[in-house]
Amino acid sequence: MKGRAGMVASSQVNLADWTQKAKDYVDSKQHLLLPGIKQSTPWSQESLKACEKWLLANARTIPAPRRIEYEMFLGEGLRRRFSGQWAHASILDKKISNEHNLLGIYYPQLEQFDVTGSLLDNALAAKTGDFWASVFQLNESLRLASLAN
């Protein structure tokens, strides 16, 4: 993806396009330019907390393209770190209409799904500065528990 022009939220694109855009965004290392990122460990607890704190401090002035970049960064981090795949929420429940276009990360081994479009809004609602870190920590705990079984 070149630049931020033409960026569209996951709720407004099809799955294949979004998957490729998110992958390209992280593969090109553009995510390392996001405010708060710890470049050597972008998905570490420390980095996720720093990013979220920046989001909370600047919530009123963050342009839509920057929000989309954070969504791609978080989703790709979850996908890569926990062997997930971009998917539509209907993968778990066929009653969820494709019209709602709830995209996120599906973890086949856990039959779990994280809706990536809500990660920013949930962090803003929680106002704790560690919501994203807790999502990654929970996934790590679930992954470890599944390995133990």
Side-chain angles (χ1 to χ4, degrees):
M1 175 182 298
K2 294 181 179 148
R4 293 172 15 179
M7 294 183 81
V8 181
S10 66
S11 62
Q12 299 172 346
V13 298
N14 73 43
L15 178 60
D17 288 346
W18 179 261
T19 298
Q20 191 61 54
K21 285 180 183 185
K23 181 183 179 308
D24 291 348
Y25 176 74
V26 171
D27 285 349
S28 69
K29 309 277 188 230
Q30 291 182 57
H31 67 290
L32 297 177
L33 302 174
L34 288 171
I37 290 282
K38 304 298 181 203
Q39 293 197 359
S40 60
T41 56
W43 294 289
S44 67
Q45 294 287 298
E46 178 186 14
S47 183
L48 292 166
K49 289 176 184 178
C51 289
E52 187 173 333
K53 286 178 182 170
W54 181 89
L55 174 85
L56 292 173
N58 297 281
R60 293 175 190 240
T61 60
I62 299 173
R66 178 56 45 106
R67 292 175 62 90
I68 293 166
E69 290 171 344
Y70 273 110
E71 183 180 349
M72 289 188 293
F73 160 70
L74 293 166
E76 272 298 290
L78 290 167
R79 182 186 74 77
R80 293 169 187 229
R81 190 159 168 197
F82 304 111
S83 302
Q85 63 192 44
W86 286 100
H88 186 276
S90 63
I91 198 165
L92 288 180
D93 186 347
K94 299 300 179 202
K95 295 176 190 166
I96 298 174
S97 168
N98 283 337
E99 293 174 12
H100 297 296
N101 210 23
L102 294 175
L103 301 183
I105 305 301
Y106 174 62
Y107 313 96
Q109 67 280 16
L110 300 173
E111 294 188 359
Q112 177 191 336
F113 188 87
D114 284 320
V115 177
T116 56
S118 66
L119 291 173
L120 275 69
D121 289 337
N122 288 340
L124 291 169
K127 296 180 183 161
T128 61
D130 65 359
F131 179 79
W132 296 340
S134 70
V135 169
F136 276 71
Q137 185 60 49
L138 175 60
N139 276 289
E140 181 66 16
S141 297
L142 291 171
R143 185 186 69 79
L144 292 173
S146 74
L147 293 175
N149 291 331

